[in-house]
Amino acid sequence: MLKIMIFILFLFPLCLMNNFYWMVQGFLFMISFIYIMMISYTNYFMMISYEFGCDLISYGLILLSLWIISLMFMASESIFKYNNYINLFMFNMILLLVLLVLTFSSMNLFMFYLFFEGSLIPTLFLILGWGYQPERLQAGVYLLFYTLLVSLPMLVGIFYLYKIIGSMNFYLLSNYLFNLEILYFSLLLAFLVKMPMFLVHLWLPKAHVEAPVSGSMILAGIMLKLGGYGLLRVMSFLQIIGLKFNFIWMSISLVGGVLVSLICLRQTDLKALIAYSSVAHMGIVLVGLFTMSYSGICGSYTLMIAHGLCSSGLFCLANISYERLGSRSLLINKGLLNFMPSMALWWFLLSSANMAAPPTLNLLGEIFLINSILMWSWVTMLMLSFLSFFSAAYTLYLYSYSQHGKIFSGVYSFSGGNIREFLLLFLHWFPLNLLILKSDICMLWL
């Protein structure tokens, strides 16, 4: 793992030089492709160096991080064009990438916690430094307080584990089974807020609406996956107590998913709609994960990766129309079929991925999740059917409202996309539909 880390660290000097923007992005794609070649089909930790290693769960998420951050450079061309503190921006992004790769490749629970919290800081700088509206300060405070308040108990829980076992290695921890209520709650709460679970999700739409496009992409693509990844790691030694308490989070998430879907149906802001749909999707991931069944855990992992690509692509689309029209309101972004006909196909493809149409990876994830949740209890059928229905409903609302209708009277022109934008959307959509052909990576790692 250190060879990948050192490769990324060597990009820091390039960030501080002028006119190296596209070169850094090219190098990031190069790292991604090298990393794709390094895949190992085992569920053991491979590539171990010091405290860092990588099994198949980390592998998928590190690859997602590399990919999304490369695409963030591509999406943030306006920062490059208007020279909006470009070197600082690049530095911030590479720092974020370093912290994310370290988070996903840590084999030590405490190191994981350290980088897990550390990745919050560059994200905060992204929102505060490159956000659009003056409310971004409030959004930053929301983000910080929601996530930091619940992560202190987690630190205490980690130290308690160390005191009992004398090791914090994930591999060794999974040999133990704890039956302590307070340990369970202290370890889980931090991840539930990060996911975010319904009731503690308010920081997410706030942060998304205020963040620049790169901030939204990283939040939707990777930040929400940190919570899921943490849960996958700690549930292995909290199984017994999980049987007692998991149903609480599952019922909150199922009901919350339906409520959030209803909230989606009355949004007028493009970004807010996509952000709330993320909450609904991560809710179903959470429920599947807490069933602690094979198909539930595999399905939640698959949907995490699929949602990372799909949601990130939708935020790119919202930003493309924002750059043309200067607004994210659905009342102004309507009739885009007449205004940007070339983008309508991408809106269609990514919207259909968002409502889990075949042949996307989302479909595979949702099939596994729905199977596992119904295996757990048939009572969940009611909420699950609502969730699936409304998921399609708000996606169709987003697509039909933005593409059809009479064009806003203030916009009298026709606008094509740039090659850069088409490539950006293609690189979100292509892996999403290609990965289903190689879905054994998502399924065979347990």
Side-chain angles (χ1 to χ4, degrees):
M1 280 318 298
L2 284 181
K3 52 181 173 284
I4 291 287
M5 277 316 310
I6 288 169
F7 197 157
I8 300 170
L9 286 174
F10 271 109
L11 291 179
F12 276 121
L14 288 185
C15 294
L16 302 174
M17 297 180 204
N18 291 330
N19 301 330
F20 267 85
Y21 187 79
W22 299 115
M23 182 156 178
V24 171
Q25 191 229 7
F27 270 130
L28 280 172
F29 273 120
M30 189 169 129
I31 298 175
S32 309
F33 285 119
I34 289 174
Y35 195 65
I36 290 174
M37 301 300 173
M38 288 165 62
I39 185 166
S40 56
Y41 290 104
T42 67
N43 54 351
Y44 297 113
F45 279 97
M46 304 294 285
M47 298 191 266
I48 296 179
S49 41
Y50 297 101
E51 288 289 320
F52 304 104
C54 161
D55 61 355
L56 267 179
I57 320 178
S58 337
Y59 178 82
L61 288 164
I62 291 172
L63 188 55
L64 186 67
S65 309
L66 286 164
W67 196 247
I68 296 279
I69 288 203
S70 322
L71 292 176
M72 277 158 67
F73 273 86
M74 203 186 272
S76 307
E77 198 214 14
S78 58
I79 292 177
F80 174 68
K81 200 161 62 183
Y82 301 121
N83 199 10
N84 189 356
Y85 297 99
I86 185 75
N87 298 88
L88 208 57
F89 177 73
M90 290 154 69
F91 191 86
N92 201 21
M93 301 264 264
I94 301 291
L95 180 63
L96 186 53
L97 177 60
V98 167
L99 286 167
L100 285 170
V101 173
L102 286 173
T103 309
F104 289 129
S105 60
S106 291
M107 289 165 62
N108 183 313
L109 189 56
F110 178 68
M111 304 275 271
F112 166 72
Y113 171 81
L114 206 64
F115 298 125
F116 173 79
E117 293 305 327
S119 60
L120 199 66
I121 297 162
T123 317
L124 185 71
F125 285 155
L126 264 180
I127 294 174
L128 292 184
W130 288 271
Y132 305 123
Q133 285 95 349
E135 286 97 56
R136 59 179 189 254
L137 197 64
Q138 190 192 358
V141 170
Y142 261 56
L143 175 73
L144 213 58
F145 272 81
Y146 264 96
T147 40
L148 283 181
L149 185 70
V150 284
S151 61
L152 188 64
M154 185 186 163
L155 186 62
V156 179
I158 289 172
F159 287 153
Y160 176 78
L161 277 180
Y162 186 60
K163 179 171 169 284
I164 299 284
I165 298 178
S167 165
M168 284 193 260
N169 193 310
F170 285 130
Y171 208 73
L172 297 175
L173 279 173
S174 54
N175 298 329
Y176 291 84
L177 290 174
F178 291 95
N179 196 1
L180 283 163
E181 282 87 351
I182 195 150
L183 182 69
Y184 174 81
F185 285 110
S186 68
L187 281 177
L188 250 62
L189 281 173
F191 298 132
L192 291 177
V193 171
K194 200 76 162 183
M195 275 292 276
M197 188 180 71
F198 184 70
L199 298 183
V200 283
H201 68 287
L202 284 174
W203 63 270
L204 184 78
K206 199 97 182 143
H208 269 307
V209 170
E210 303 305 325
V213 60
S214 50
S216 283
M217 285 168 72
I218 198 73
L219 271 169
I222 324 265
M223 285 304 172
L224 307 187
K225 316 299 172 274
L226 280 170
Y229 173 76
L231 285 173
L232 282 171
R233 288 285 186 222
V234 299
M235 280 319 285
S236 64
F237 54 87
L238 294 173
Q239 288 170 31
I240 295 178
I241 187 110
L243 296 173
K244 207 186 317 186
F245 288 116
N246 277 357
F247 76 95
I248 305 174
W249 318 121
M250 295 167 81
S251 37
I252 292 175
S253 291
L254 274 173
V255 177
V258 177
L259 292 177
V260 165
S261 304
L262 289 171
I263 293 173
C264 276
L265 284 171
R266 56 180 299 276
Q267 290 299 325
T268 51
D269 185 327
L270 278 174
K271 261 192 172 180
L273 201 158
I274 303 166
Y276 274 111
S277 79
S278 294
V279 180
H281 281 301
M282 296 319 278
I284 191 172
V285 164
L286 202 60
V287 182
L289 212 157
F290 277 136
T291 58
M292 296 196 297
S293 61
Y294 177 74
S295 55
I297 289 175
C298 288
S300 61
Y301 173 68
T302 312
L303 194 60
M304 279 200 296
I305 288 181
H307 172 265
L309 289 163
C310 165
S311 193
S312 175
L314 281 168
F315 278 115
C316 289
L317 274 170
N319 183 63
I320 287 169
S321 48
Y322 173 71
E323 282 175 356
R324 304 286 193 285
L325 302 168
S327 167
R328 286 194 314 255
S329 167
L330 267 172
L331 305 172
I332 292 175
N333 283 291
K334 60 184 181 184
L336 290 183
L337 200 55
N338 306 320
F339 178 61
M340 298 182 73
S342 51
M343 277 298 159
L345 173 69
W346 291 108
W347 272 104
F348 170 72
L349 289 173
L350 285 162
S351 299
S352 57
N354 197 39
M355 58 186 182
T360 52
L361 199 57
N362 298 60
L363 178 77
L364 184 76
E366 290 209 8
I367 288 173
F368 268 81
L369 283 171
I370 288 170
N371 269 339
S372 68
I373 297 166
L374 288 178
M375 275 184 341
W376 181 74
S377 163
W378 60 267
V379 186
T380 54
M381 205 181 294
L382 180 69
M383 282 304 166
L384 268 178
S385 51
F386 275 134
L387 219 141
S388 302
F389 172 72
F390 285 126
S391 158
Y394 62 69
T395 310
L396 282 171
Y397 161 67
L398 169 70
Y399 176 72
S400 58
Y401 210 103
S402 64
Q403 298 309 304
H404 299 288
K406 205 167 79 172
I407 200 160
F408 178 64
S409 57
V411 185
Y412 292 116
S413 91
F414 156 86
S415 170
N418 305 336
I419 297 286
R420 172 185 64 85
E421 288 165 347
F422 289 131
L423 180 62
L424 173 64
L425 295 167
F426 176 75
L427 291 177
H428 275 111
W429 172 81
F430 185 63
L432 198 59
N433 289 271
L434 195 72
L435 277 171
I436 198 158
L437 301 175
K438 196 82 189 98
S439 51
D440 51 346
I441 305 173
C442 305
M443 293 300 157
L444 297 179
W445 50 266
L446 266 182

